[in-house]
Amino acid sequence: MRTKTGTFGILALGIFALGCGLASPALAEGARGSYVPGTSGLALPSLSLSFSDGQKPSDLVAVLRIVMMLTVLSLAPAILIMMTSFTRIVVVLSFIRQALGTQQMPPNQLIVGLALFLSFFVMAPTWKAISANALEPYLNEKIDQKMAYERAEAPIREFMFSQTREKDLELFLSLSKEAKPQNRADVPTYVLVPAFVISELKTAFQIGFMLYLPFLVLDMVVASVLMAMGMMMLPPVVISLPFKLLLFVLVDGWELVVGSLIKSFG
């Protein structure tokens, strides 16, 4: 087992990259291996984990490293989601549902699933860079763990820097009491991540405000018509909902929203 500094970060990035489909060539190669009749033909690796009474301090260190690795892997999805385009996308899609007034349609599972796959699409160049420059050389033992971690971290930091406002970055730099960095490489990752998250939230709220405007105007028109007709006891939302759905379908709203979201990361 490799246990140097940076192993857990590499494992987490590797698992996420595999989830994006970057390991499909390797799986295809495994499928072309030895075929046993009555099986799928896909060779899967085996894994065994055992514990025994340790007699040396190094044995305890190895156990603690395994526990730390499992902990990091369990938190890796949440950590990596906060460092990708997922935050902006899921917030904007939630705003769309609120603006339409359709309550739980689309359901939360569908919103999160769509946001996740759109995040895979947006982050695909980043994951490909990580796979080509860090993951594959590390698995082929061409570079050590420290070098692999640095190479894997660089594309993600570059993406976060491109979407982070300088004002938000300056805020967390001042709160961290760190010396003023000379360049981007001097900015710590633990400072960059929260600055990136609040920048994404601000951008998502700005997009949400623009999405709300046409539906708000429609609600106001319907409410004015109902008041003019003396139907003040009828909720305007009940009447405006079909018109909102019709407007959203006629302008091909999903294509506009998803296309604008993806282009906003350009």
Side-chain angles (χ1 to χ4, degrees):
M1 180 186 297
R2 299 177 174 89
T3 57
K4 294 183 180 179
T5 304
T7 303
F8 305 142
I10 294 301
L11 288 174
L13 292 172
I15 289 177
F16 205 79
L18 290 174
C20 298
L22 298 177
S24 55
L27 293 176
E29 183 66 25
R32 290 194 295 266
S34 58
Y35 173 72
V36 178
T39 65
S40 62
L42 180 63
L44 299 176
S46 60
L47 176 65
S48 61
L49 182 64
S50 61
F51 296 93
S52 60
D53 295 335
Q55 303 296 330
K56 298 181 296 182
S58 58
D59 297 333
L60 178 60
V61 172
V63 173
L64 292 177
R65 284 172 174 165
I66 293 175
V67 173
M68 291 176 61
M69 180 186 68
L70 295 177
T71 302
V72 171
L73 288 178
S74 64
L75 297 176
I79 295 173
L80 292 177
I81 280 175
M82 300 300 291
M83 300 167 63
T84 64
S85 58
F86 181 84
T87 301
R88 182 189 306 184
I89 294 174
V90 75
V91 171
V92 170
L93 294 179
S94 299
F95 271 126
I96 278 289
R97 184 174 63 182
Q98 293 288 338
L100 287 171
T102 54
Q103 302 301 324
Q104 295 299 320
M105 294 300 296
N108 290 330
Q109 295 86 347
L110 183 58
I111 292 292
V112 174
L114 178 59
L116 191 60
F117 279 98
L118 289 178
S119 299
F120 288 161
F121 181 83
V122 173
M123 299 298 297
T126 303
W127 302 135
K128 289 180 181 178
I130 293 174
S131 179
N133 300 328
L135 184 60
E136 292 180 2
Y138 174 73
L139 294 178
N140 294 329
E141 299 184 352
K142 296 181 179 179
I143 59 176
D144 58 12
Q145 295 169 354
K146 182 178 180 181
M147 179 63 68
Y149 180 79
E150 292 176 353
R151 290 187 179 182
E153 188 182 31
I156 296 182
R157 283 172 57 90
E158 182 180 355
F159 172 79
M160 289 192 291
F161 272 120
S162 66
Q163 306 299 326
T164 304
R165 294 177 173 83
E166 293 185 4
K167 181 179 179 180
D168 297 327
L169 192 57
E170 291 175 359
L171 170 63
F172 283 95
L173 283 172
S174 62
L175 293 176
S176 66
K177 303 295 192 299
E178 293 282 348
K180 186 176 181 180
Q182 300 297 323
N183 48 50
R184 290 184 172 182
D186 296 335
V187 177
T189 302
Y190 75 90
V191 173
L192 175 60
V193 172
F196 167 74
V197 173
I198 65 172
S199 292
E200 288 292 279
L201 288 175
K202 183 176 181 180
T203 303
F205 274 64
Q206 290 175 341
I207 297 174
F209 172 76
M210 299 301 297
L211 291 173
Y212 252 98
L213 288 180
F215 300 110
L216 179 61
V217 172
L218 186 57
D219 281 334
M220 294 174 64
V221 171
V222 172
S224 300
V225 172
L226 291 177
M227 289 184 64
M229 297 174 62
M231 305 173 63
M232 292 178 292
M233 300 302 294
L234 184 63
V237 177
V238 176
I239 304 299
S240 63
L241 179 57
F243 293 100
K244 288 181 180 179
L245 295 177
L246 180 62
L247 174 63
F248 196 71
V249 171
L250 289 178
V251 301
D252 204 353
W254 288 115
E255 180 182 356
L256 292 176
V257 171
V258 172
S260 300
L261 264 175
I262 295 178
K263 291 177 182 177
S264 68
F265 292 98

